Amino acid sequence: MPTTANTVTIRIPTALRPQAGGNDVVSFSGASIREVLGGLTTQYPELGKRLFKTQDELNRFINVYVNDEDIRFLDNLDTAVKPGDEVSIVPAIAGG
Amino acid sequence: MSYVKALRCKECEALYPIEPRTVCDHDFGPVEVAFDYEKARGRVTRASIEGGPRSLWRYKDLLPIEGQPRAGLRSGFTPLIRADKLAAELGVKELYIKDDSTNYPTFSYKDRVVAVALTKAIEFGFDTVGCASTGNLAHSVAAHAAAAGLRAFVMIPHDLEEGKMVGMSVFGPRVVKIRGNYDDVNRLCSQIADKYNWAIVNVNLRPFYTEGAKTHGFEIAEQMGWKLPRHTVVPVAGGTILPKVWKAYQEFITLGLVEDNKPAMYAAQAAGCNPVVQAIEQGLDLFKPQKPQTIAKSIAIGNPADGYYVIKVVRESGGHGASSSDAEIIDAIKLLARTEGIFTEPAGGTTLACAIKLIQSGRIPRDESICVCITGNGLKTVEVMAGQFTATPVINAKMTEFEQLVNEINETAKTSTQSVNS
């Protein structure tokens, strides 16, 4: 799907690319993370199953960022997004 | 002999071959190395371990490598100190310090995990290794990579202590400073590991790396005379070591090497970065990430991916958690130095300060065995102790001046003793 000015881009991690048509970046429109990820999971239902534990709860090993900020510091799934924003889906990893 | 079976998802138990991998394809749960304990029972014995080298590789049979160790040949087997002076000060009966501030070659517990991860990186055929680090891991990766002849990239937050910068740069790695905190560095590293065919030790070699942390626990058990401490206090950053010390205890119990005394695990965090301890105190299964604000930078991880497992192990083992302020951390660093002659970094101060709180609140009984895990060295973070000591006198090289100084010191000591006694 081509990136256009009124959409939000989503970075897909390697592990989820097979369920996202092999794409590393996709674009969807929407006013919130919920809406944007809703578009993503409607188009790629298998990806949706891995992304979400329930309809309202992300898989706890998945972190979602809007322009480098973790959505848990914002309004979680209700975090507002605007065209041109970049959303990253990143599997949680630890270190130290 | 290797008793490794497979990689297994900690959540759905899906199995994977031994390969560089961080998470399960199905649910993104972390994968962990599964061992064949049935096969190991009776073969991995106290005698077989005691006959091994005086390093963490004496536990090779319970580590996920196939051939001989290729890195960190002298790492581990750090002292376990029976800390009687500190115990007297705290009013407890049996207190131990597991002192990884002396670990070889870079003076933190990270030498354990890196020894295993780099051996595995060589087995997999990688020529470049890297890490996301708050400092100690960068030191260890850089040093072990230099010794093993591997190229190293270390990614760190931009504001690390100067001593920590020197301690990694000297080994000649590519150091990349990243604007942001550790969690930003970590996120970038997961994307780097996605793109480059490098062994990022705490990302795509993570399942092997974390097994190295078990050796901290194996050593505690062996050095206590094949017994487990009843209470173990461990610092929590990304959440690697606490569940792995627990796993080590459980493996020794499973193999019949120690008696199951129901060891309890306690999580220690700085008050300025305590997502896991907050969740434990509030009875929650999941933590809320935080933006770290603490002098304990080596454990300033606000979004610990293994935090969930720390909470689970602490709860299942009947332990608890505590957090300590920057002032309490400094006091604990000084207390450990004054009583036991050990200089730890703020992470160690945090762990001791939290242990003291858990003892004072009655969570840890005073008459049972306690082990406090010290994971890093104070000489790496001298900045945090600035202004903590009285001015050092300067005299001329004359005996009269020295004698006068000693007299003054004795007078001051007498006065302070009197004021304590009065």
Side-chain angles (χ1 to χ4, degrees):
Chain A
M1 182 175 293
T3 306
T4 58
N6 60 357
T7 60
V8 174
T9 58
I10 308 176
R11 292 198 157 275
I12 309 288
T14 307
L16 279 176
R17 284 177 203 157
Q19 287 82 44
N23 293 305
D24 58 350
V25 179
V26 295
S27 298
F28 286 92
S29 55
S32 68
I33 287 290
R34 191 188 301 276
E35 288 182 21
V36 173
L37 295 184
L40 178 72
T41 56
T42 304
Q43 179 154 354
Y44 303 113
E46 281 303 310
L47 189 154
K49 279 186 210 160
R50 294 180 184 199
L51 210 50
F52 283 90
K53 193 173 163 199
T54 66
Q55 202 179 341
D56 284 319
E57 195 185 343
L58 283 164
N59 176 333
R60 72 162 176 268
F61 297 107
I62 296 276
N63 294 329
V64 174
Y65 298 81
V66 179
N67 300 334
D68 299 335
E69 184 64 292
D70 190 322
I71 61 168
R72 287 174 295 178
F73 289 115
L74 304 167
D75 292 323
N76 281 308
L77 289 172
D78 295 320
T79 301
V81 290
K82 56 185 186 311
D85 278 352
E86 183 177 278
V87 173
S88 299
I89 298 171
V90 182
I93 51 160
Chain B
M1 173 151 202
S2 173
Y3 300 97
V4 173
K5 280 204 294 199
L7 291 178
R8 182 171 57 206
C9 174
K10 283 177 91 163
E11 293 298 303
C12 73
E13 305 202 334
L15 296 175
Y16 296 93
I18 296 301
E19 62 187 10
R21 163 178 288 279
T22 316
V23 294
C24 173
D25 286 342
H26 303 292
D27 58 7
F28 289 92
V31 291
E32 187 174 46
V33 178
F35 290 87
D36 187 343
Y37 300 120
E38 285 302 315
K39 197 168 143 198
R41 191 173 294 124
R43 292 192 172 99
V44 180
T45 61
R46 290 180 182 180
S48 77
I49 290 169
E50 285 165 350
R54 293 182 62 82
S55 74
L56 61 86
W57 294 111
R58 64 204 280 110
Y59 310 103
K60 180 164 95 58
D61 286 342
L62 297 171
L63 295 171
I65 68 166
E66 296 303 317
Q68 290 303 309
R70 308 283 288 272
L73 301 188
R74 290 163 201 84
S75 301
F77 219 57
T78 59
L80 180 83
I81 314 286
R82 169 106 192 204
D84 285 336
K85 277 185 74 197
L86 180 57
E89 191 109 3
L90 302 183
V92 298
K93 201 172 124 203
E94 190 180 354
L95 180 66
Y96 300 88
I97 300 288
K98 178 59 178 169
D99 186 13
D100 265 6
S101 75
T102 66
N103 211 346
Y104 185 87
T106 64
F107 311 105
S108 88
Y109 116 84
K110 296 296 183 182
D111 288 326
R112 301 177 180 280
V113 287
V114 174
V116 177
L118 261 56
T119 294
K120 208 65 205 170
I122 295 167
E123 285 186 359
F124 284 134
F126 287 103
D127 61 5
T128 302
V129 297
C131 63
S133 175
T134 54
N136 283 325
L137 180 57
H139 291 176
S140 191
V141 167
H144 284 97
L150 297 163
R151 187 168 74 135
F153 267 82
V154 300
M155 274 62 80
I156 53 167
H158 66 104
D159 62 347
L160 283 193
E161 302 94 336
E162 196 46 42
K164 287 230 161 127
M165 292 306 302
V166 173
M168 67 187 77
S169 303
V170 69
F171 300 111
R174 294 297 171 105
V175 180
V176 183
K177 278 189 179 180
I178 290 150
R179 281 184 205 96
N181 58 36
Y182 175 79
D183 298 298
D184 298 306
V185 179
N186 204 24
R187 180 168 56 85
L188 179 68
C189 276
S190 78
Q191 291 171 326
I192 292 170
D194 243 15
K195 176 141 186 164
Y196 294 85
N197 187 29
W198 294 351
I200 309 286
V201 297
N202 49 340
V203 181
N204 51 348
L205 290 191
R206 181 166 176 71
F208 312 101
Y209 160 101
T210 57
E211 290 298 300
K214 287 190 308 192
T215 61
H216 190 88
F218 290 148
E219 288 175 20
I220 292 171
E222 183 183 349
Q223 291 169 323
M224 277 188 63
W226 300 103
K227 278 193 305 192
L228 301 178
R230 182 67 184 81
H231 308 277
T232 307
V233 189
V234 189
V236 174
T240 301
I241 183 170
L242 187 147
K244 290 299 175 178
V245 169
W246 169 254
K247 187 179 180 188
Y249 290 174
Q250 297 308 315
E251 285 183 346
F252 271 10
I253 292 168
T254 302
L255 295 173
L257 305 185
V258 296
E259 196 183 317
D260 185 2
N261 66 349
K262 306 283 178 238
M265 308 297 294
Y266 299 81
Q269 293 198 298
C273 182
N274 65 349
V276 168
V277 168
Q278 272 200 2
I280 291 168
E281 286 175 342
Q282 292 166 6
L284 303 173
D285 289 339
L286 298 180
F287 63 86
K288 193 170 184 310
Q290 295 180 2
K291 306 267 180 185
Q293 262 319 323
T294 170
I295 57 166
K297 290 187 183 168
S298 69
I299 51 170
I301 297 182
N303 184 17
D306 277 349
Y308 168 75
Y309 294 105
V310 175
I311 296 165
K312 197 161 171 258
V313 164
V314 164
R315 199 159 286 150
E316 284 177 11
S317 71
H320 201 64
S323 42
S324 45
S325 69
D326 286 355
E328 290 165 337
I329 292 169
I330 298 273
D331 284 348
I333 291 174
K334 289 158 92 171
L335 177 65
L336 184 62
R338 178 168 61 77
T339 54
E340 298 297 334
I342 297 167
F343 182 21
T344 185
E345 64 170 5
T350 304
T351 311
L352 178 56
C354 290
I356 294 170
K357 285 187 163 179
L358 291 161
I359 292 163
Q360 286 174 345
S361 68
R363 285 273 177 188
I364 296 181
R366 292 174 187 273
D367 59 350
E368 296 181 346
S369 57
I370 306 165
C371 182
V372 175
C373 298
I374 295 298
T375 53
N377 192 303
L379 286 171
K380 293 190 188 186
T381 53
V382 290
E383 300 93 315
V384 300
M385 302 308 284
Q388 290 297 319
F389 311 105
T390 49
T392 308
V394 183
I395 59 169
N396 293 308
K398 293 184 193 308
M399 269 316 278
T400 49
E401 289 193 28
F402 185 75
E403 282 163 3
Q404 193 189 340
L405 186 67
V406 171
N407 286 338
E408 281 168 21
I409 289 168
N410 288 341
E411 282 302 312
T412 316
K414 220 182 284 171
T415 323
S416 62
T417 312
Q418 279 165 357
S419 64
V420 169
N421 292 339
S422 64

